[in-house]
Structure formats: structure tokens, C-alpha cells
């Protein structure tokens, strides 16, 4: 069998969608060694050093299609899918070519979230319009849909009226680099590289309003906590608000916003922290929660939504609008040794549900329905 993948974000995106794409192709290459994988990329390049599996190859358009890659991905890719004799085409990041039905291939699309529908105030009107048009059309054209959580499945059904019989829930995992303990030498190098404090609360994710980092900063100020905060993620104007608030409250020296952190350094950063916070208002899954559970640290995240799916019985859950609740959770995880040990143990156990073998089995089950 020949499986095709939309590899734009696999090669050119360093965050969530890129990581999902790289992890999915890597997992499938190991569990489908006798099948061929074709990675459709709009242009040559490999910005994030993806190691091409032995049973995979890259396809890039030529001629006029290469000059207009966005148009190619949406309206001309079907021809190249057909030329490569693709049996199943998998859109890894919310979309399929508009002409996918002319390709002769069966199709599946992974839908990560409908945040742009649930929280429209966070997106420009033109972006909401484009996402709705492309993603909804992809769901309608796909033979199968993978939702990365029960919440995303329910959103597809309740918001867009997608037939639930067409949807399979296949949870994500996190990168295996979070499974192993970083050695002392690497930890020391990472601490020096980023000037990390001795004790810190950790947050990982784009520093934007939806991620709600301000809640943790407010809790720190409210409780006068004797611990620093390290936030790893791309800056947006919201980061300026965080820093301004920290200055006003006299805790600016305790708030460290790190941009351009090496992905390979993240396991050490997690493992050296005292607790990880992820008080996001809305997510499709919340990979940093899983990274924290695998890293052997307590995790505090938000009540409701998808978060209990990702954190299970291992995390502490707080109202994302309540700084007092966050303060209480921080004080408990930082001060109660028995609670910490229980959260760490349960976290390791719960994280086993998201390991490679289970993910591969679920993905292959979707593909079997398309044969």
C-alpha cells in the first residue's frame, strides 16, 4: 500500500502541528515497514531536521505548481496524488486538497480543534472565514476523519453537523524524547544556556491570551510565592502584558519568558522544574500536559474541556479564571510531598495510554476502514 501525507508542516512548522506530523509519520513508518510513504511538500527543504524513514520519500511539485505552492496544495495536488498511485491520502493538519476526490485515493483528515469557532475573538475575521471554509470542506470530502480528542469530535458533530459515524478519535502522544531522564551534564548545560533559576514553575506554549499565563503570574503575586516562573514559547503582544503586570507587582525578577528554546532541551527544562502549569482556556488536546506527565513532575491544568482527557487522574484542575484556585494548587503541589509523589506516580501510569504502540494500532485501524 502507498500512503500519501500532507507534509508542509512536517518540514516547515516547529510547533504543535509540525510535531504531530513528524511523530505520526515516524510511528507509521515503524509499524508499516512494508508500505511506502510519500510526503507531499510544497517546496524542497527540511527546516526541523526530520529524519526521512527508509520507506518514505518526498514529493515536491514542479513547473507552474512549484511557483504557486498554495494553489497547488488546494487545487492541483490531486493530479500528483494520482501520478504517485497513492492508495490513502492523509491530511495531517486539518485540511485536504479541494480536489481530493479526483485523485482516486481514499482520504482521511486529522482535525485538531475548532478553537477559531469556539473562541472567535482570538482570530482575525479573514482567518476564521478561511479556516471554516477549508476545514469544513475537508471534513465533508474526507472518507474518514480523525479527531484528536473526544472534545474535538463533539465539536465537529455539534458545531458543523458532521456524521459521528465518520469520525474516529485517535489521541496524540508526545515525542519519545520526553520518556527518558536527562543526564546531569545535559541538565547543567541547559540551565546555563537559558540562565534558569534553581527552583521554578514551568509553562510551555505560545505566550498568547488563550494560554492564560497571566493566571499563574497573578497567583504568584497574590501568594508572594518564593519561586520563579519560566515560560517557554513564542512571544506575542500578550507577553508584554505579562511583563508589565509583573513589574507593577514587583515580581519581574521572578518571571522569565524564553523564546526559541531548542526542542531537544525541553525534557531537561521540564525535569528540572518543580511543577508545570497549563491553565489554557481551550485546547484540542494539550500536548504539554502529556510532556509534563512523562517528565515526572506534577501538572496543574484547567477544569473542563479536553483537559481531563489528557491529564486523567494525575493532574490538579483549576478554574482558569480564578487566581486563588491556582495559588492553592501551586501551594499544595510545592508544599505537600505526599501529594507530589502521588501525582508523579499517577502521571507516569496515565501517560502509558498515549505511547506509540497504542497510537499506531489506532491509526492503522482507521486505515483498515479505508481499504
Amino acid at each position: 500500500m502507498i500512503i500519501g501525507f500532507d507534509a508542509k508542516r512536517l518540514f516547515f512548522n516547529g510547533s504543535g502541528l509540525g510535531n504531530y506530523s513528524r511523530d505520526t509519520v515516524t510511528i507509521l513508518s515503524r509499524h508499516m515497514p512494508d508500505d511506502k510513504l510519500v510526503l507531499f511538500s510544497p517546496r524542497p527543504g527540511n527546516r526541523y531536521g526530520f529524519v526521512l524513514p527508509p520507506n518514505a520519500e518526498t514529493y515536491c511539485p514542479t513547473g507552474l505548481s512549484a511557483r504557486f505552492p498554495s494553489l497547488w496544495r488546494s487545487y492541483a495536488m490531486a493530479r500528483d496524488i494520482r501520478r504517485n498511485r497513492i492508495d490513502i491520502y492523509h491530511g495531517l493538519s486539518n485540511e485536504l486538497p479541494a480536489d481530493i476526490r479526483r485523485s482516486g485515493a481514499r482520504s482521511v483528515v486529522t482535525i485538531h480543534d475548532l478553537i477559531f469557532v469556539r473562541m472567535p475573538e482570538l482570530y482575525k475575521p479573514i482567518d476564521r472565514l478561511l479556516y471554516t471554509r477549508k476545514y469544513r470542506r475537508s471534513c465533508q470530502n474526507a472518507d474518514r476523519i480523525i479527531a484528536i480528542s473526544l472534545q474535538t469530535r463533539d465539536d465537529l458533530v455539534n458545531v458543523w453537523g458532521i456524521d459521528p459515524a465518520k469520525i474516529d478519535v485517535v489521541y496524540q502522544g508526545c515525542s519519545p524524547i520526553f520518556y527518558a531522564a536527562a543526564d546531569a551534564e545535559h541538565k547543567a548545560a541547559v540551565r546555563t544556556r537559558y540562565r534558569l533559576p534553581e527552583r521554578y514553575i514551568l509553562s510551555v506554549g505560545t505566550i498568547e491570551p488563550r494560554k492564560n499565563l497571566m493566571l499563574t503570574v497573578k497567583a504568584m503575586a497574590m501568594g508572594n510565592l518564593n519561586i520563579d516562573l519560566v515560560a517557554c514559547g513564542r512571544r506575542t503582544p500578550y507577553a508584554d502584558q505579562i511583563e508589565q503586570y509583573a513589574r507593577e507587582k514587583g515580581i519581574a525578577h521572578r518571571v522569565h519568558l524564553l523564546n526559541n528554546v531548542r526542542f531537544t532541551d525541553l525534557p531537561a527544562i521540564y525535569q528540572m522544574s518543580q511543577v508545570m502549569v497549563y491553565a489554557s482556556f481551550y485546547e484540542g488536546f494539550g500536548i504539554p500536559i502529556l510532556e509534563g506527565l512523562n517528565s515526572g513532575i506534577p501538572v496543574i491544568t484547567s477544569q473542563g474541556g479536553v483537559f481531563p482527557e489528557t491529564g486523567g487522574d494525575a493532574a490538579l484542575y483549576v478554574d482558569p479564571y480564578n487566581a486563588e484556585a491556582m495559588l492553592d494548587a501551586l501551594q499544595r503541589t510545592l508544599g505537600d510531598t505526599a501529594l507530589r509523589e502521588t501525582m508523579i506516580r499517577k502521571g507516569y501510569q496515565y501517560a502509558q495510554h498515549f505511547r506509540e504502540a497504542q497510537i499506531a494500532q489506532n491509526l492503522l485501524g482507521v486505515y483498515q476502514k479505508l481499504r
Side-chain angles (χ1 to χ4, degrees):
M1 188 162 62
I2 305 177
I3 315 293
F5 299 91
D6 176 6
K8 175 184 176 181
R9 288 175 175 82
L10 182 150
F11 289 123
F12 300 107
N13 183 300
S15 57
L17 294 179
N19 291 333
Y20 173 81
S21 299
R22 288 183 285 273
D23 290 346
T24 298
V25 170
T26 299
I27 289 171
L28 289 172
S29 71
R30 286 198 281 258
H31 291 264
M32 304 176 68
D34 298 325
D35 296 294
K36 182 179 177 181
L37 311 181
V38 180
L39 310 182
F40 287 83
S41 177
R43 63 185 186 276
N46 188 0
R47 184 178 299 169
Y48 295 95
F50 178 70
V51 178
L52 202 67
N55 60 332
E57 64 181 42
T58 302
Y59 178 88
C60 298
T62 57
L64 196 61
S65 293
R67 294 177 58 190
F68 302 98
S70 294
L71 290 176
W72 171 74
R73 288 182 72 236
S74 295
Y75 300 106
M77 192 188 286
R79 175 195 60 197
D80 293 326
I81 292 173
R82 180 182 292 277
R83 285 177 177 174
N84 282 272
R85 305 192 311 279
I86 302 300
D87 297 299
I88 295 174
Y89 181 84
H90 188 164
L92 294 168
S93 50
N94 301 309
E95 57 186 304
L96 294 171
D99 59 348
I100 187 64
R101 291 189 173 180
R102 292 191 292 159
S103 70
R106 302 280 280 168
S107 62
V108 57
V109 62
T110 296
I111 300 295
H112 295 263
D113 59 68
L114 296 188
I115 296 173
F116 60 94
V117 176
R118 289 298 192 184
M119 303 188 74
E121 67 277 7
L122 300 179
Y123 295 82
K124 298 177 182 178
I126 186 61
D127 289 337
R128 296 200 308 269
L129 178 65
L130 289 174
Y131 295 159
T132 299
R133 183 168 179 265
K134 289 196 298 184
Y135 300 172
R136 193 173 191 175
R137 179 185 61 203
S138 296
C139 289
Q140 293 166 343
N141 288 340
D143 294 301
R144 300 296 304 174
I145 299 167
I146 289 175
I148 64 166
S149 65
L150 291 171
Q151 176 182 275
T152 297
R153 181 200 65 184
D154 292 345
D155 281 350
L156 290 171
V157 174
N158 298 327
V159 177
W160 284 348
I162 304 298
D163 181 1
K166 189 179 181 178
I167 304 171
D168 299 286
V169 175
V170 178
Y171 288 115
Q172 297 177 259
C174 68
S175 171
I177 70 172
F178 293 95
Y179 299 168
D183 60 43
E185 183 178 356
H186 183 53
K187 286 181 177 178
V190 168
R191 190 180 293 280
T192 299
R193 181 175 298 127
Y194 301 104
R195 300 180 181 178
L196 298 177
E198 187 63 29
R199 296 176 69 253
Y200 58 91
I201 302 163
L202 176 65
S203 174
V204 175
T206 302
I207 303 172
E208 61 182 349
R210 177 169 57 87
K211 301 294 186 181
N212 196 26
L213 183 63
M214 184 69 81
L215 185 76
T216 302
V217 180
K218 287 182 176 179
M220 290 173 60
M222 181 183 297
N224 194 27
L225 295 183
N226 186 27
I227 189 170
D228 287 26
L229 170 67
V230 172
C232 303
R234 180 175 59 83
R235 289 182 68 101
T236 73
Y238 181 68
D240 298 331
Q241 298 178 34
I242 296 289
E243 291 173 333
Q244 176 63 30
Y245 181 87
R247 284 193 295 270
E248 292 172 356
K249 297 298 181 179
I251 61 170
H253 62 292
R254 293 200 178 279
V255 176
H256 313 270
L257 307 185
L258 305 182
N259 194 12
N260 295 321
V261 172
R262 299 177 190 175
F263 185 69
T264 51
D265 288 340
L266 276 177
I269 294 174
Y270 271 99
Q271 292 166 30
M272 289 188 290
S273 70
Q274 273 57 57
V275 59
M276 184 264 191
V277 294
Y278 197 71
S280 176
F281 291 117
Y282 197 94
E283 294 292 332
F285 183 69
I287 287 290
I289 298 171
L290 197 53
E291 293 171 347
L293 298 183
N294 277 289
S295 298
I297 57 173
V299 173
I300 301 170
T301 187
S302 301
Q303 293 174 344
V306 75
F307 304 104
E309 291 186 64
T310 314
D313 63 350
L316 286 185
Y317 298 94
V318 301
D319 179 347
Y321 296 93
N322 190 330
E324 290 184 1
M326 174 59 79
L327 174 59
D328 177 69
L330 286 169
Q331 290 173 329
R332 291 172 62 195
T333 53
L334 293 170
D336 188 332
T337 301
L339 175 63
R340 289 180 60 84
E341 292 176 351
T342 298
M343 292 177 69
I344 291 169
R345 173 177 53 81
K346 286 185 175 181
Y348 177 79
Q349 293 171 345
Y350 189 73
Q352 303 308 302
H353 294 96
F354 305 93
R355 290 295 173 95
E356 177 177 313
Q358 185 62 56
I359 296 170
Q361 179 180 331
N362 294 339
L363 287 169
L364 292 174
V366 177
Y367 290 173
Q368 288 291 337
K369 295 177 182 180
L370 295 173
R371 289 191 174 188

